[in-house]
Amino acid sequence: MRLYYTPQFMDNEQIIKRFEPKPDNIIPLLHELQDNHPQNYLTEDALRQVARFMNVNLSWIYGVVGYYTMFSTKPRGKFIIRLCNSPVCHISGSENAIEWTKSLLKVNLNETTPDGLFTLEESECLGRCGKAPSMMINRDFYGELTKEKMEQIINELRKAK
């Protein structure tokens, strides 16, 4: 089982040049830039570069980033833990999963651990209803969560850091 995605960091311009300056490419481009940053966020400089490349106002880029919850303009941990709290996951125990994870990491939602390793977020839906409750860590999905399973995953990530 693959536990995490480790991107190969590169210059923003290298990433931007791989795309055509079309509106259809804005979401994948922003994801690539965010994934490329060691703290998993979109810097002001990166957003300015995208605005210039797409030939749009910076405010338009911020509008896109602000609308989609998977984008961040604030530094986050190496591992972004997104716990699903959709109705199906909620019925299946996502509230417990959220509380277990908060306790394990000693952080609240939308906070990063002091070591910069984990950021805990809540997601409305991850599309994994058949495996509820579920979570996403960076690009990997985990389902049928129990307290023991979550402890194991988090401990393995701590070792692999």
Side-chain angles (χ1 to χ4, degrees):
M1 168 170 73
R2 188 181 81 177
L3 284 177
Y4 60 93
Y5 166 76
T6 304
Q8 299 300 316
F9 301 113
M10 61 178 76
D11 180 74
N12 286 347
E13 287 298 324
Q14 291 176 298
I15 294 169
I16 291 170
K17 287 178 184 175
R18 295 186 353 221
F19 292 86
E20 290 182 50
K22 301 184 323 187
D24 291 352
N25 288 332
I26 187 68
I27 301 295
L29 173 55
L30 291 171
H31 274 296
E32 288 285 331
L33 289 168
Q34 180 168 275
D35 290 348
N36 183 62
H37 195 284
Q39 291 179 294
N40 289 301
Y41 80 110
L42 293 162
T43 65
E44 171 86 18
D45 186 50
L47 296 178
R48 287 183 186 282
Q49 289 173 301
V50 171
R52 279 192 303 272
F53 177 72
M54 291 286 184
N55 198 28
V56 297
N57 290 328
L58 182 59
S59 62
W60 186 80
I61 299 296
Y62 269 103
V64 172
V65 170
Y67 181 79
Y68 292 100
T69 60
M70 287 197 165
F71 292 128
S72 178
T73 57
K74 295 181 176 142
R76 299 184 293 174
K78 178 177 181 177
F79 301 109
I80 310 300
I81 299 173
R82 294 180 180 99
L83 288 158
C84 184
N85 201 20
S86 69
V88 173
C89 280
H90 186 79
I91 290 168
S92 299
S94 66
E95 282 299 315
N96 291 334
I98 291 169
E99 292 306 314
W100 296 330
T101 309
K102 286 166 59 175
S103 177
L104 282 168
L105 299 177
K106 297 178 179 39
V107 295
N108 289 311
L109 288 171
N110 302 311
E111 290 182 354
T112 300
T113 57
D115 61 5
L117 204 53
F118 298 99
T119 296
L120 182 60
E121 298 178 352
E122 188 174 37
S123 179
E124 190 56 39
C125 183
L126 296 174
R128 303 289 185 188
C129 300
K131 299 284 185 182
S134 61
M135 73 177 167
M136 181 178 176
I137 300 178
N138 294 356
R139 293 186 181 195
D140 296 323
F141 291 92
Y142 303 87
E144 300 171 334
L145 299 172
T146 63
K147 184 176 183 177
E148 294 76 23
K149 189 173 184 178
M150 293 188 71
E151 285 176 350
Q152 177 188 2
I153 292 165
I154 288 171
N155 288 334
E156 287 180 25
L157 289 172
R158 280 187 173 131
K159 289 178 198 171
K161 67 177 175 178

